[in-house]
Amino acid sequence: MKPRNLIICLLLAGVVGLSVNAQAQTRRFNAKPGLLKVRIEGTSNIHDWQVEGKIIGGFMEVGPNFPTKPGQEIKPGKVDAKVQAFVPVRSLISVEKDGKPYNTKMDDIMYDKFLAQQFPRLVYTLNELVLKEAPKAKDQPYVLDATGELAVAGVTNKLSMPVNVTPQADGMIKITGTAPLKMTDFKIEPPAPAIAGGLIKTGNDIKILFEWVVAEKK
Amino acid sequence: MNEKNTTEFNRRDFLRGGSMAAIMSMLGGVELFAQTNQAASAAAAAVQGPSLKMAVIGAGPWGRDVLNTLAKVPQAKVVAVCDNYAAMRTRGAKLAPGAAAVEDYKEILNNKEIAAVVICTATHQHKEIAIAAIKAGKHVYCEAPLAHTIEDAREIAKAAAAAQHLVFQGGFQMRSDPQRHFLLPFIRSGALGKNVMARAQWHKKQSWRFTSPTPEREKAINWRLDKDLSLGLAGEIGSHQIDQASWFLNGRPKAVTGFGNVLFWKDGREVADTIQAIIEFPGGVNMVYTATLANSFDAEYEMLYGSDAAVMMRESKAWMFKEVDSPLLGWEVYARKETFYKETGIFLTGGTKSTQSDVPATVEPFTNTPIWFALTNFVRSATGLAAAAEDFVSSFGDDDKDALMEHLSKVPRQPGATHLDSYIATVLAIKTNEAIKANKRIEIDPVLYELT
């Protein structure tokens, strides 16, 4: 082999090697059923209300600078991560404060407001993830700023919120977060159920809370 | 077909509710009632979602009432009616347009299209069908009592307990009635003061005997009059009312004393047509229960007595009668009141507990009754599970069957008698009937209430 060809081959091999290496460093995690929780809290003129679900489907692909091990050293700055997560609307159920089912009529009103027939899922897509400060102790969660988009009832809005990322010793990663939302931002008129003669009026401000546990896809 | 009951078997009247409120209004009481049934009905009718393909097994008088009721339940789609007696099968199938008339219940269980069954056969036939249905992966609504022996009831309940990914609901339908759910925290919160006793009755003049063209069929259809197969009035009727007392008092009886005789219908039957029982709850609170097929005075109701007030429950209505020295709750000043002879009853209603007086004068048949609420909840629970399974698989795939089963076992069910509720109520009915047959007091071993 001529020296020139040898150089080309080595360069090509290097490029392929780098690519393989980059792929190897991207790790994919999938939602782990049984350990998931989403909760929406709201208000009304008679009492506060809440709905809960146990399904947050989706996946997360992360680069080497995403915390996947407890105590992993991560430098502040942009973190490589791609996330798509979703919640099936009908998996959300109104509950009492103690978690017992509240009222199927309220569930139906909620599904109707979410336009569940046309848009059966709430969908979240991450655009950017930034670590501002590394945790000061090994057992503390990594607090990152997540910027993404949330699609509800056919309307997509930008959503920025802090998320806590806690790598577990067993390899799973727990991600929790809370975000305030307004129903009208998603073109949802706050419900005033007809079954109560329209006397019950819900507030426009709601809060969404989630616990998302993911495990690496083997 | 010449099969009929000349005095009409009115277990149905008790279970589906009637017009006793009108009688109570004539007698006068503060009425306690839940969110108006009309509103509930309208909201339920608006439910969107897939229908539940189901079959009714047993198309006797009660099975046909169930079919009529299911016709008014949103999402319920009866695709098959099963009875091993041709005339009942035909009459039942007519109530569910398009439904297949099936002789053998195994054909129903083999049909993968059918997701749920309602078992309305004779009590002693429940076990075989219920367990086979659970094994076949069907959601099961099993009429009450679950069985005529504790062993059979336990087997059914254990099979249901092992299949938490399915819905199992016992036919103790008052456990699904929103009015009773409204009353439960009210009573358990001590609104009646110290509980001192409970009382319930079911009084009807009817024979319970059916006539039929053949002796074999006549024997089969009159299983309620067979002392080896029937729990008599204590099981067929009393099981519901005694269960209500257990539920509201939140206690498991420790002993029961019973009396029973054939006093009026002396047609050779050995199952008492008139019974009395005293059921002993923890803390010295006793329930007095009477039932008869010989006199209809004052029909049926349940009472709870406390040191501050008594509550009367008649079907989906309730009234509170306060003692003069009881503390003022406040809202009762404005509540609707009715006079019951020399007493004033405060109408107890869910939602507002106040001046609500928009009780519908007429109610559409087969809706807003305890059985309607129970079947509606059963159907909703089953469709909820189907949706949950679909959502799970579309979110995570179907590789992890254990995770799917675990997820389904945690999907909330609508209010209804669980396998354990139903088992305990059945044990209580069996022991009450045992005491009645022996005309004596028997203690109930607490172990009997446990499934293990």
Side-chain angles (χ1 to χ4, degrees), chain B residues 143-316:
Chain B
E143 262 309 332
L146 289 190
H148 70 307
T149 67
I150 290 176
E151 293 71 29
D152 281 9
R154 184 179 280 130
E155 280 191 54
I156 293 172
K158 277 187 167 179
Q164 288 293 305
H165 59 292
L166 298 172
V167 177
F168 179 91
Q169 193 175 318
F172 296 93
Q173 60 261 49
M174 287 191 284
R175 290 229 180 202
S176 299
D177 190 329
Q179 167 65 11
R180 305 281 172 142
H181 279 272
F182 157 67
L183 287 174
L184 190 70
F186 179 76
I187 289 169
R188 284 196 184 170
S189 68
L192 307 189
K194 177 177 169 40
N195 290 328
V196 293
M197 62 178 177
R199 188 164 67 82
Q201 69 172 53
W202 185 86
H203 295 172
K204 287 271 195 288
K205 190 162 188 178
Q206 57 188 215
S207 78
W208 266 20
R209 183 172 290 286
F210 292 84
T211 56
S212 196
T214 65
E216 296 77 25
R217 176 63 187 165
E218 191 149 316
K219 181 173 168 50
I221 200 166
N222 286 308
W223 60 271
R224 286 185 190 83
L225 303 178
D226 184 334
K227 66 179 171 56
D228 295 326
L229 301 178
S230 170
L231 297 179
L233 282 162
E236 290 301 303
I237 306 293
S239 62
H240 296 270
Q241 294 174 292
I242 297 167
D243 174 57
Q244 286 292 291
S246 300
W247 192 33
F248 281 102
L249 296 173
N250 201 19
R252 296 177 179 178
K254 54 184 188 176
V256 54
T257 304
F259 305 95
N261 287 294
V262 179
L263 295 172
F264 182 69
W265 297 101
K266 293 184 181 292
D267 53 6
R269 72 181 64 190
E270 293 175 301
V271 172
D273 62 18
T274 303
I275 64 166
Q276 297 87 34
I278 297 173
I279 299 112
E280 298 173 35
F281 284 87
V285 178
N286 294 338
M287 175 193 195
V288 178
Y289 183 70
T290 66
T292 181
L293 295 169
N295 186 289
S296 60
F297 180 71
D298 220 6
E300 73 271 6
Y301 58 85
E302 297 91 48
M303 296 282 311
L304 292 168
Y305 298 85
S307 56
D308 289 337
V311 162
M312 170 182 274
M313 293 173 270
R314 282 190 186 260
E315 298 133 10
S316 289

Side-chain angles (χ1 to χ4, degrees), chain A residues 181-198:
Chain A
L181 300 170
K182 285 188 187 299
M183 291 195 217
T184 48
D185 286 347
F186 295 93
K187 296 185 179 169
I188 294 173
E189 192 63 29
I195 54 171

Side-chain angles (χ1 to χ4, degrees), chain B residues 110-139:
Chain B
N110 290 333
N111 186 338
K112 302 287 181 207
E113 291 283 298
I114 296 172
V117 295
V118 181
I119 301 170
C120 303
T121 60
T123 302
H124 63 280
Q125 296 167 335
H126 288 174
K127 185 188 87 171
E128 179 187 322
I129 301 170
I131 291 175
I134 292 166
K135 278 186 184 160
K138 311 294 184 196
H139 304 294

